[in-house]
Amino acid sequence: MVKKQKIESGALAQSVNRAWVFDRVAKGIVFIGGISAIVFIISIFIFIFDQGMGFIAEDLKPGEFFGSEIWRPTSESNPTYGILALIAGTASITGLAMLVSVPFSLGAAVFISEFATGRVKEGLKVLIELLAAIPSVVWGFIGLSIMNPLIVQLFDVPIGLNMLNAGIILGLMAAPIMTTIAEDALKAVPDGYREAAEAMGATRWQVIRRVVLPSARNGLGAAILLGVGRAFGETMAVLMASGHAINLPTSPFDSVRALTATIAAELGETARGSTHYEALFTIGIFLLLITLCINLLADLVIRGGWKRRKL
Amino acid sequence: MVSTAKLEFRDLSIRYGSETALEGVNLSIKPNEIFGIIGPANSGKTSFLRSINRMDEMTTGMKVGGSVLLDGTDVRAWRNVFALRSRIGVVFPLPVGLPMTIRQNVTMAPRMKGIKNKAVLEELVERCLRRAALWDEVKDRLDSLGSMLSGGQQQRLTIARALSQEPDILLLDEFSIAVDPVTTMRIEDVLKELKEEMTIVLVTNLVQQARRLADRTAFFLNGKCIEIGETEDLFTSDSRDPLTRDYVEGRFG
Ligand SMILES: Nc1ncnc2c1ncn2[C@@H]1O[C@H](COP(=O)(O)OP(=O)(O)O)[C@@H](O)[C@H]1O
Ligand SMILES: [Mg+2]
């Protein structure tokens, strides 16, 4: 009897040991996975900063870089590195894209979360995920071969590859992610709120406007910001739809050029280590910093860092 | 009979899908009485309340049979369900302080009715909060979030909110579940006063609460109304149903 107990407790000790080993190994794997993600991100940062640093240290004239609309890096006699027109291009396209996608996306999110039920709801969600999966070159193709002639015809302008075209395409591209995140935010509003408001005699619309939207406002704000980030960082579709002409736009029918598209179009043709090459990386650093800011802001908003304590 | 009842239920039955939650309920509630409903969990009390303001229409699968008459008119004959609901105040088991300020919580219903006048709204906020015995505690912070209040305060806020609808019927569903005993007593005192102005249907999981407050009480069990009577009779009479006796004496539930 005594002996048997001893054996049992020995087996017990062994099994605890095995679990302990497994626990250790699992912990190690997860740790390596987590760390390597961080290492990758930091390496990318270091690489991009390293490549752009030469330009920043030696050739960068901040006044010219941010203040001049002349981007002429290949000029033999007088190379000029002004990204003002590129900033204006990116900003105008992104702004236009938001005008298109914010109402669309919030409307779609409200419809899916508050009105659609059953199959319609599931179908719409799948459709929106599909939309998000369309490769950006396909969007660019749509801009090039469908929107281009359409804009020429509708507005009687010489060329349809312009800010309007790129803005609409980018708006459509940003809409799915905005809709998905906005819908998540609306779904997170407790049903008890809706029920309490409806019990007071609120109509569907009153429930949405007075209760659901206000309590989801952080998530909705984050959805919009992430949409901005999506539009801002997009490259291929913009390159194809915007006309890619250096221009301080004065109307939506002007062709423009975006920061991202400039890098994509020119990097392949520069010599590694040349001033032009390094200037493109400096644009990359600039893009990286802005994207970082947008994402941090979205993070803050979603955590309610914006929430006024005393409303 | 019809003319004196505030609410009348005729052969009321409630189903969720194929499951019956309530069946064959016939009872009438008089104006300005506190009508208590007692019964163990899942006996159909909440479903009963939901049939009154047609909350079934927003619950998938919920079907109401028979009829519910409010002042002699079937509630389903109301074209404007929102107007119907705005006459009926509801207090839920767990306090639902809407995610807005205390003031906004109380002014939401009147605003939805189109009242915009600041002075009128101010006066209403104070009156409703006073009647819900909450005014003294929150009068200095009307613009802070309602959801920051304690559970007991939030429940009084929902009562103030229900009162802001100026309802003629107040439905309470186990309001004291998340409320401390002292606050429960305060709310009970409030209800005794409110009875002068409105009809109150009080669903409660505390049989003694029904005994303290209700003029008449119904006992629900497994989707059936077992007995209706003067509250005191339910607690003392020899002729009551043995099930009722066992329940109020705490032998099951
Ligand atoms: N939304 C719902 N869907 C399906 N069944 C429900 C729903 N609400 C209540 N029921 C069922 O109806 C019955 C009565 O519930 P309820 O009216 O909530 O009783 P009580 O309030 O007395 O606890 C229970 O069996 C419950 O499971
Ligand atoms: Mg209940």
Side-chain angles (χ1 to χ4, degrees):
Chain A
M1 195 59 198
V2 171
K3 201 177 174 193
K4 198 178 166 208
Q5 235 172 18
K6 225 177 182 173
I7 293 168
E8 268 175 4
S9 74
L12 195 69
Q14 196 127 49
S15 80
V16 165
N17 237 346
R18 213 173 292 149
W20 181 83
V21 169
F22 182 80
D23 182 67
R24 269 306 163 104
V25 171
K27 232 185 224 168
I29 292 172
V30 171
F31 179 75
I32 291 170
I35 281 291
S36 61
I38 296 171
V39 168
F40 279 135
I41 289 171
I42 291 178
S43 317
I44 291 171
F45 263 82
I46 292 176
F47 171 72
I48 291 176
F49 273 90
D50 178 57
Q51 298 292 309
M53 226 42 211
F55 180 80
I56 294 175
E58 290 160 29
D59 307 281
L60 179 71
K61 295 167 226 147
E64 179 190 290
F65 192 67
F66 290 109
S68 162
E69 71 270 24
I70 299 170
W71 174 256
R72 208 187 290 135
T74 49
S75 161
E76 295 274 328
S77 52
N78 181 24
T80 314
Y81 303 94
I83 62 167
L84 185 62
L86 311 181
I87 294 176
T90 289
S92 61
I93 295 171
T94 305
L96 199 62
M98 287 305 110
L99 284 185
V100 174
S101 63
V102 169
F104 255 124
S105 309
L106 296 193
V110 166
F111 180 76
I112 293 173
S113 146
E114 307 298 313
F115 292 96
T117 53
R119 285 226 190 111
V120 176
K121 185 172 186 149
E122 291 315 308
L124 274 174
K125 285 170 95 165
V126 169
L127 198 75
I128 283 168
E129 269 155 36
L130 271 178
L131 232 70
I134 297 177
S136 66
V137 67
V138 173
W139 284 110
F141 186 72
I142 292 172
L144 208 62
S145 61
I146 298 177
M147 298 282 295
N148 181 17
L150 205 65
I151 291 174
V152 171
Q153 245 178 32
L154 278 180
F155 300 100
D156 194 26
V157 287
I159 184 158
L161 296 175
N162 49 27
M163 180 174 138
L164 182 67
N165 191 334
I168 292 174
I169 291 289
L170 271 194
L172 295 177
M173 289 179 75
I177 186 178
M178 280 171 71
T179 307
T180 306
I181 297 173
E183 202 248 327
D184 281 345
L186 296 178
K187 203 167 50 190
V189 175
D191 277 336
Y193 290 175
R194 295 183 180 86
E195 201 172 71
E198 285 198 57
M200 287 163 73
T203 62
R204 276 300 244 317
W205 174 239
Q206 285 171 327
V207 173
I208 292 168
R209 194 173 81 78
R210 291 175 189 272
V211 177
V212 177
L213 290 182
S215 42
R217 65 168 185 270
N218 290 337
L220 296 178
I224 293 174
L225 279 172
L226 290 173
V228 170
R230 174 82 178 86
F232 179 83
E234 175 49 40
T235 308
M236 187 46 88
V238 183
L239 179 62
M240 292 166 78
S242 66
H244 202 56
I246 296 172
N247 220 341
L248 277 182
T250 52
S251 104
F253 300 110
D254 286 346
S255 293
V256 289
R257 191 195 267 209
L259 290 160
T260 49
T262 304
I263 301 180
E266 296 180 4
L267 194 63
E269 288 154 27
T270 58
R272 196 185 167 117
S274 68
T275 312
H276 185 187
Y277 174 93
E278 288 177 349
L280 290 176
F281 267 92
T282 306
I283 295 179
I285 294 172
F286 182 61
L287 281 172
L288 198 65
L289 290 179
I290 290 185
T291 314
L292 212 65
C293 286
I294 293 173
N295 279 294
L296 279 179
L297 206 62
D299 219 43
L300 259 180
V301 166
I302 213 166
R303 278 188 218 170
W306 255 208
K307 190 158 71 187
R308 290 156 290 179
R309 277 273 157 259
K310 278 196 77 169
L311 209 101
Chain B
M1 170 82 195
V2 170
S3 58
T4 58
K6 186 74 194 170
L7 283 168
E8 193 181 340
F9 301 82
R10 291 189 188 152
D11 196 27
L12 179 74
S13 69
I14 296 173
R15 258 173 282 279
Y16 295 97
S18 58
E19 244 181 86
T20 301
L22 204 61
E23 198 159 38
V25 174
N26 285 290
L27 59 84
S28 65
I29 296 172
K30 297 176 204 153
N32 297 83
E33 79 172 331
I34 296 185
F35 189 87
I37 298 176
I38 57 174
N42 292 331
S43 52
K45 309 183 294 296
T46 300
S47 305
F48 175 81
L49 289 184
R50 294 171 74 87
S51 71
I52 299 172
N53 63 349
R54 286 169 54 183
M55 296 287 264
D56 52 301
E57 286 165 21
M58 53 200 236
T59 312
T60 40
M62 183 172 172
K63 284 266 173 317
V64 177
S67 52
V68 180
L69 308 184
L70 167 61
D71 292 329
T73 313
D74 194 316
V75 291
R76 269 169 290 181
W78 284 64
R79 275 241 208 100
N80 184 348
V81 64
F82 310 112
L84 169 73
R85 287 182 186 151
S86 71
R87 282 184 61 186
I88 303 171
V90 185
V91 176
F92 293 94
L94 297 175
V96 185
L98 288 173
M100 41 178 94
T101 67
I102 294 171
R103 191 196 307 276
Q104 286 167 337
N105 261 284
V106 185
T107 57
M108 182 169 154
R111 272 174 192 282
M112 289 192 306
K113 282 186 199 156
I115 299 174
K116 291 213 171 72
N117 185 311
K118 270 247 164 72
V120 172
L121 290 173
E122 280 305 287
E123 190 270 333
L124 192 122
V125 167
E126 175 166 351
R127 180 158 41 92
C128 293
L129 287 171
R130 271 194 197 284
R131 284 163 84 202
L134 187 59
W135 174 254
D136 292 329
E137 287 159 59
V138 301
K139 62 171 184 263
D140 301 320
R141 46 175 171 146
L142 292 176
D143 289 314
S144 60
L145 281 175
S147 45
M148 307 276 252
L149 296 172
S150 75
Q153 289 172 324
Q154 279 198 50
Q155 197 58 297
R156 279 175 287 159
L157 179 60
T158 62
I159 291 175
R161 202 174 62 205
L163 295 179
S164 76
Q165 297 170 231
E166 312 203 306
D168 41 358
I169 298 173
L170 185 61
L171 310 178
L172 297 110
D173 192 359
E174 307 190 344
F175 74 86
S176 51
I177 258 181
V179 175
D180 62 279
V182 176
T183 309
T184 299
M185 286 306 163
R186 292 187 66 178
I187 295 178
E188 288 188 8
D189 291 339
V190 168
L191 295 179
K192 282 181 211 154
E193 285 175 24
L194 287 176
K195 184 181 145 178
E196 307 293 322
E197 299 159 48
M198 57 192 75
T199 307
I200 297 175
V201 184
L202 173 77
V203 165
T204 177
N205 53 329
L206 309 171
V207 291
Q208 290 308 320
Q209 187 170 62
R211 191 173 195 177
R212 286 192 294 269
L213 291 175
D215 299 301
R216 292 189 305 142
T217 296
F219 171 51
F220 282 19
L221 179 65
N222 292 331
K224 295 214 169 54
C225 179
I226 303 294
E227 191 160 14
I228 309 162
E230 297 294 322
T231 302
E232 213 36 47
D233 288 347
L234 247 59
F235 282 88
T236 54
S237 160
D238 293 329
S239 58
R240 62 195 156 148
D241 194 291
L243 286 168
T244 312
R245 187 193 58 217
D246 288 351
Y247 182 70
V248 300
E249 287 172 5
R251 266 181 279 238
F252 73 94

